[in-house]
Amino acid sequence: MLAEFLQQLEGLARRANGAEAFKIQDLPEKVMVRKGTEYSIEDVPPARRDHEVHGLSDIVAAVQDEAMAADPEVYHGRSVKLLLDRGDRRDVVTMPLEVTSRFKRLLALVDGESLSVRDAVKLLRFDLHGTGVDQVISAIRRVDFSRTGAGAQSAAHGSESLGRSIEAKVQDADKIPEEFRVQTSVYSNPGVKDLSRVDVRCGVYLDVERECIEIRVLADELENAVNAAQLAIGNALRELLPEVPVFHGAP
């Protein structure tokens, strides 16, 4: 009990000799400060800048505002981040890079999807519309899996042996491409959407045994697409802001 009493006394002494700040209900921009036995009214300092914008032109406008950006530098990666003062590094303006719905759909195709003819057409028509895949849709619509009794020991695009007595085929398999290109933007932000437009190659595998179509993004295509989009963003920033350091990365 005595130890607790002494600790309380020590705390009271520290508070009496230290400084405390009290909010003033009717004056939110002011604060009452007590230093020992003296009281004063002080201005509340403004909050650190931590703004969020959505377009490339907004980042450029912030950089060009000398009252806001004393000594700026810019980073781009998962977002575009503007440090307003290189020496202080606490005031920032951030533009999150929003990935397009089409590119998100391609991300889901990294491991491939086995689809019926109907679902493959729906994927291309609805999820990847406007990406230059109309001819692929037309070809896949004609897919017709069939089985015959003439056996053959082989495996090729649209035809493979299932044994000596049964052979599965896809009618007009030669008209179905083994790969195709999807033309889309990686990011949807204003000023960035056109900059981030890329081609992504996808492969088509006709699984005649299971009577389905597998669509898969080819290896390294998505990484290459993101790198190309980031390179274009960096080049645009350097052209628009020639006096400002621009880095690919994060602060």
Side-chain angles (χ1 to χ4, degrees):
M1 295 292 294
L2 179 59
E4 293 179 0
F5 178 70
L6 292 175
Q7 288 178 352
Q8 291 177 356
L9 287 178
E10 184 179 355
L12 290 172
R14 281 199 304 267
R15 286 194 292 272
N17 295 323
E20 289 184 284
F22 305 92
K23 293 181 179 180
I24 303 175
Q25 184 174 358
D26 296 329
L27 297 172
E29 73 281 2
K30 301 289 184 178
V31 65
M32 179 179 290
V33 178
R34 182 188 63 78
K35 297 179 180 179
T37 59
E38 297 181 359
Y39 289 83
S40 62
I41 304 295
E42 306 289 345
D43 292 329
V44 176
R48 308 297 306 194
R49 290 186 183 272
D50 187 16
H51 307 314
E52 181 176 305
V53 298
H54 299 286
L56 192 65
S57 61
D58 301 308
I59 289 288
V60 173
V63 171
Q64 294 176 341
D65 186 338
E66 295 182 0
M68 179 185 292
D71 187 14
E73 65 184 24
V74 178
Y75 293 81
H76 63 95
R78 293 187 177 182
S79 64
V80 177
K81 191 172 291 287
L82 163 63
L83 302 187
L84 296 171
D85 188 336
R86 302 184 71 190
D88 183 71
R89 299 189 302 281
R90 287 180 291 180
D91 289 334
V92 298
V93 177
T94 303
M95 182 182 75
L97 287 172
E98 302 293 340
V99 179
T100 63
S101 297
R102 294 177 180 88
F103 198 76
K104 288 179 182 177
R105 192 65 183 89
L106 291 175
L107 289 171
L109 290 174
V110 170
D111 296 325
E113 288 186 21
S114 295
L115 306 163
S116 66
V117 173
R118 182 186 66 177
D119 289 339
V121 170
K122 288 171 63 177
L123 164 67
L124 297 172
R125 181 181 175 188
F126 298 125
D127 297 346
L128 298 177
H129 70 93
T131 61
V133 297
D134 291 346
Q135 291 184 347
V136 184
I137 295 174
S138 298
I140 288 179
R141 282 184 189 276
R142 297 194 293 268
V143 168
D144 179 23
F145 294 97
S146 64
R147 296 173 183 269
T148 68
Q153 297 291 334
S154 64
H157 187 59
S159 176
E160 66 181 72
S161 170
L162 299 182
R164 294 186 178 277
S165 60
I166 298 176
E167 184 184 60
K169 287 187 176 181
V170 179
Q171 302 299 320
D172 298 323
D174 58 329
K175 297 179 182 178
I176 301 169
E178 294 192 28
E179 67 176 58
F180 61 93
R181 292 179 180 270
V182 175
Q183 300 169 351
T184 186
S185 297
V186 179
Y187 306 112
S188 61
N189 302 70
V192 176
K193 186 173 182 178
D194 291 340
L195 288 175
S196 65
R197 193 163 182 81
V198 295
D199 283 3
V200 178
R201 291 185 302 158
C202 296
V204 177
Y205 175 68
L206 301 174
D207 191 334
V208 293
E209 181 176 359
R210 297 169 57 197
E211 297 189 357
C212 64
I213 300 170
E214 183 174 344
I215 298 177
R216 178 178 298 192
V217 175
L218 299 182
D220 296 330
E221 285 293 299
L222 294 178
E223 292 84 352
N224 293 339
V226 171
N227 288 338
Q230 289 289 335
L231 178 62
I233 292 171
N235 289 339
L237 286 168
R238 293 182 184 92
E239 183 176 349
L240 292 168
L241 306 169
E243 304 299 323
V244 177
V246 175
F247 307 97
H248 183 191

